[in-house]
């Protein structure tokens, strides 16, 4: 509290200077507008009608701008929707449990596929009694090879927040 007491005159001076600057700036900006309104709208009723006209003019301006930019806004919404849909399809919004379930399912599917390939190759080589036949099944078609899973998938739940 002693520190605050020592700085109180400086803080009061700063606040009074800020208030004075704001007051003078608002007077400088509003004085020409008030003079024009007083000169051109002599009575209270005319001033009310002038304010109403300004509001109607503002509404017409906003309507004009909105009608001109509505198509662009719609395209922007569609683009943002496509970005969100792409993130959903990549699994960005999956929880940790959903991610582990998806990885376990992919692992089980890959294991089943590779076991089936091995059994087919082994049965074919056993039937032919040829090791070369088994080796011929090792040839890999690049179109049939799935992509390796990424070790870390970046998800929304991994973002730090609230710290």
């Amino acid at each position: 509290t002693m520190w605050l007491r020592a700085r109180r005159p400086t803080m009061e001076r700063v606040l009074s200077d800020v208030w004075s600057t704001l007051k003078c700036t608002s007077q400088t900006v509003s004085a020409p507008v008030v003079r024009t309104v007083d000169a051109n709208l002599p009575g209270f009723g005319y001033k009310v009608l002038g304010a109403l006209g300004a509001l109607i003019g503002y509404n017409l301006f906003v309507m004009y701008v909105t009608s001109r930019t509505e198509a662009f806004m719609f395209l922007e919404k569609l683009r943002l929707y496509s970005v969100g849909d792409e993130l959903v399809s990549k699994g960005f919004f999956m929880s940790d449990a959903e991610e582990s379930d998806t990885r376990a399912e992919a692992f089980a599917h890959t294991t089943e596929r590779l076991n089936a390939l091995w059994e087919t190759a082994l049965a074919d080589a056993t039937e032919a009694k040829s090791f070369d036949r088994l080796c011929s099944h090792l040839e890999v078609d690049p179109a049939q090879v799935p992509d390796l899973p990424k070790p870390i998938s970046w998800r929304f739940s991994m973002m730090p927040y609230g710290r």
Side-chain angles (χ1 to χ4, degrees):
T1 59
M2 295 303 285
W3 182 84
L4 260 156
R5 285 183 185 171
R7 276 135 185 94
R8 180 178 176 183
T10 305
M11 289 190 292
E12 287 177 352
R13 167 85 183 196
V14 168
L15 289 175
S16 66
D17 286 347
V18 168
W19 174 250
S20 174
T21 302
L22 287 173
K23 189 168 66 171
C24 289
T25 303
S26 67
Q27 287 176 354
T28 303
V29 170
S30 66
V33 174
V34 170
R35 267 196 313 261
T36 303
V37 167
D38 285 339
N40 296 318
L41 301 171
F44 178 74
Y46 286 123
K47 287 182 173 106
V48 169
L49 286 176
L52 185 64
L55 288 174
I56 291 173
Y58 175 75
N59 283 341
L60 289 173
F61 171 75
V62 169
M63 184 177 68
Y64 175 78
V65 169
T66 303
S67 70
R68 297 284 188 232
T69 59
E70 187 175 10
F72 174 75
M73 304 282 187
F74 182 70
L75 290 175
E76 185 68 16
K77 282 184 205 175
L78 286 177
R79 189 186 69 77
L80 288 175
Y81 176 76
S82 72
V83 167
D85 192 43
E86 181 181 343
L87 286 173
V88 167
S89 68
K90 287 182 178 179
F92 182 71
F93 296 108
M94 283 197 297
S95 67
D96 293 339
E98 290 172 331
E99 174 71 16
S100 66
D101 288 346
T102 303
R103 285 183 179 269
E105 182 181 333
F107 175 76
H109 178 69
T110 303
T111 303
E112 188 176 317
R113 181 181 62 84
L114 292 175
N115 283 337
L117 285 174
W118 170 250
E119 289 171 5
T120 304
L122 189 61
D124 188 33
T126 304
E127 183 181 317
K129 295 184 181 183
S130 169
F131 182 72
D132 292 332
R133 179 73 64 93
L134 181 63
C135 291
S136 69
H137 284 280
L138 293 177
E139 295 174 5
V140 177
D141 182 18
Q144 298 289 338
V145 177
D147 291 335
L148 291 176
K150 294 179 182 174
I152 296 176
S153 62
W154 297 106
R155 296 182 316 279
F156 185 70
S157 64
M158 295 175 76
M159 291 183 184
Y161 59 92
R163 293 182 188 153

